[in-house]
Amino acid sequence: MPFLGQDWRSPGWRWVKTEDGWKRCEPFSPALEDGSNQLNDISHTVIIAGDDENEEVYGTEDCEFAAKKRKKDHFRNKTDSQCFYREKWIYVHKESTRERHGYCTLGEAFNRLDFSSAIQDIRRFNYVVKLLQLIAKSQLTSLSGAAQKNYFNILDKIVQKVMEDQYNPRLIKDLLQDLSSTLCILIRGVGKSVLVGNINIWICRLETILLWQQQLKNLQMNKQVNNGLTLSDLPLHMLNNILYRFSDGWDIITLGQVTPTLYMLSEDRQLWKKLCQYHFAEKQFCRHLIPSEKGHIDWKLMYFALQKYYPIKEQYGDTLHFCRHCSILFWKDTGHPCTASDPNTCLMPVSPQHFIDLFKF
């Protein structure tokens, strides 16, 4: 068999169809590009002086090998560097075929789908945070070293965004609490054999998480000065409509703490009954009935009691999508190279838990 490249068993190059024809698509990394530019300036022959002042001359082949090694070391030493891809989608395959060698892992998908940019979109922010929380609970040890580095880089950006914008700090506190609990168990109970990397790195990461938790605990919400129309100026029926559009009980409680009027509206039994009916089935109500002192059902307590036993419905402004025809995972606004006659009929929204399940073998 003729020699076709460094590894003839590899799946080959990725090609993208453009107006000018098919073009080869390669992974893009600013760190690697800068490193390659610097390495290209090195001459083909390198002279190194030894201890005895005898000069050793290395030829072109040795120089190319050294350049590749420096390029790899430069990428590894850049802890904040992250590999970006022009393609914002990934083909999900769970086994090797003649056309594709290997399989897709959770860490590979996590690196390829550009979650770092997704957190800047308010529609995707809660989705990404929930996904990070699920990974922290059960899939942290399945991530590769590069994916773990990417995970904590994204987490750092999320914390900084919350500190600046003060957007949904409660969600991030829950994520950090689950992550710190998981790391404590892995470091103390199981040991370094389960975690990828040096144990001291994980201890340092745990200290960083504790620092983030302290920063969020001391976070002071800035009082906005606005001389125009405020929430308190709205009529009661409009305030009631706003409360009825919430799907999270904690959001209702938080809004009820703003003014006495909102607190009164947030304690409405009918509001909490609708919330229970939205998230849970009627059969589930019968198993956990909580009557109040007056003999009525306390729907507010019912909601939080049922939440401990059954999952609630999740709502996100935007999610990842999976194409059943192409077996490709992607963000809907970026699209993917679909070959189906009607691509919209093949799309399926992917919840955070479904994303995790796609990569379980």
Side-chain angles (χ1 to χ4, degrees):
M1 177 175 238
F3 185 75
L4 302 178
Q6 292 184 355
D7 187 355
W8 55 268
R9 298 166 299 176
S10 64
W13 298 102
R14 294 180 179 274
W15 296 85
V16 178
K17 189 174 183 180
T18 64
E19 296 179 354
D20 301 327
W22 289 88
K23 291 187 178 181
R24 194 175 71 194
C25 185
E26 299 178 0
F28 171 73
S29 172
L32 289 179
E33 187 178 24
D34 294 340
S36 62
N37 291 337
Q38 294 174 5
L39 294 173
N40 289 337
D41 296 336
I42 301 176
S43 61
H44 291 286
T45 304
V46 179
I47 301 176
I48 301 178
D51 296 335
D52 56 353
E53 297 184 356
N54 293 329
E55 295 180 344
E56 296 182 8
V57 181
Y58 290 84
T60 304
E61 293 182 0
D62 295 329
C63 199
E64 289 179 355
F65 175 79
K68 288 181 179 179
K69 189 175 186 304
R70 279 195 298 271
K71 195 182 208 180
K72 183 184 291 186
D73 292 340
H74 174 76
F75 175 74
R76 287 179 175 175
N77 293 333
K78 288 274 293 179
T79 56
D80 294 333
S81 66
Q82 183 179 340
C83 194
F84 295 93
Y85 293 84
R86 291 188 180 94
E87 300 169 349
K88 303 301 180 185
W89 50 267
I90 186 169
Y91 178 81
V92 181
H93 52 110
K94 295 187 177 183
E95 58 185 10
S96 299
T97 62
R98 294 181 63 181
E99 293 78 15
R100 288 184 176 270
H101 179 67
Y103 54 89
C104 181
T105 64
L106 176 64
E108 184 182 356
F110 190 77
N111 288 336
R112 289 286 300 274
L113 290 170
D114 195 18
F115 289 106
S116 183
S117 299
I119 61 174
Q120 305 301 327
D121 190 337
I122 195 171
R123 300 172 303 163
R124 300 174 180 173
F125 183 83
N126 291 358
Y127 181 87
V128 176
V129 172
K130 181 63 176 180
L131 180 58
L132 293 182
Q133 189 173 17
L134 291 177
I135 292 176
K137 287 181 177 180
S138 61
Q139 301 296 319
L140 194 61
T141 55
S142 67
L143 296 181
S144 64
Q148 289 174 1
K149 186 186 297 184
N150 190 13
Y151 180 95
F152 282 94
N153 285 340
I154 293 174
L155 190 57
D156 182 33
K157 292 180 181 179
I158 289 176
V159 173
Q160 299 308 319
K161 179 179 175 61
V162 172
M163 295 297 295
E164 293 173 5
D165 302 344
Q166 302 174 346
Y167 176 73
N168 210 344
R170 177 177 56 82
L171 198 63
I172 314 305
K173 289 178 182 179
D174 294 341
L175 165 60
L176 294 179
Q177 182 61 41
D178 291 336
L179 182 58
S180 62
S181 300
T182 302
L183 283 184
C184 286
I185 295 172
L186 291 174
I187 291 173
R188 290 183 300 181
V190 182
K192 60 183 179 181
S193 59
V194 174
L195 297 170
V196 177
N198 191 288
I199 191 67
N200 295 322
I201 295 177
W202 287 101
I203 293 175
C204 182
R205 286 172 175 171
L206 181 59
E207 292 174 351
T208 303
I209 293 169
L210 297 176
L211 177 62
W212 287 336
Q213 288 178 314
Q214 189 62 37
Q215 290 176 350
L216 291 173
K217 184 178 179 180
N218 299 331
L219 179 63
Q220 298 291 330
M221 305 299 286
N222 296 331
K223 192 173 182 179
Q224 296 182 357
V225 179
N226 190 355
N227 298 325
L229 188 68
T230 63
L231 194 64
S232 303
D233 298 326
L234 296 176
L236 288 178
H237 72 276
M238 292 187 67
L239 294 174
N240 211 31
N241 274 339
I242 293 173
L243 287 168
Y244 269 85
R245 293 183 183 276
F246 285 162
S247 60
D248 191 336
W250 284 110
D251 291 337
I252 295 175
I253 292 177
T254 303
L255 185 59
Q257 296 172 350
V258 176
T259 63
T261 303
L262 286 170
Y263 175 76
M264 177 193 67
L265 294 175
S266 67
E267 294 294 319
D268 182 24
R269 289 180 61 253
Q270 194 65 23
L271 171 65
W272 289 98
K273 181 180 179 181
K274 290 285 186 183
L275 192 64
C276 288
Q277 290 175 342
Y278 172 75
H279 286 290
F280 309 107
E282 189 174 351
K283 292 182 179 179
Q284 297 168 344
F285 295 161
C286 302
R287 300 176 185 175
H288 304 278
L289 289 175
I290 303 177
S292 62
E293 296 178 356
K294 298 180 180 180
H296 302 294
I297 297 176
D298 193 331
W299 291 103
K300 183 178 178 180
L301 290 179
M302 277 275 293
Y303 170 80
F304 290 105
L306 291 169
Q307 198 177 25
K308 296 178 182 179
Y309 299 99
Y310 309 104
I312 62 174
K313 292 182 180 179
E314 298 176 352
Q315 283 188 337
Y316 302 102
D318 190 17
T319 67
L320 287 168
H321 282 71
F322 182 74
C323 179
R324 293 188 293 266
H325 178 78
C326 307
S327 296
I328 287 179
L329 194 63
F330 64 101
W331 294 106
K332 193 173 182 179
D333 59 348
T334 58
H336 75 289
C338 187
T339 57
S341 56
D342 189 2
N344 291 330
T345 59
C346 305
L347 301 186
M348 178 179 65
V350 177
S351 67
Q353 184 59 55
H354 187 195
F355 179 89
I356 300 294
D357 295 339
L358 279 174
F359 302 99
K360 285 183 178 179
F361 302 102

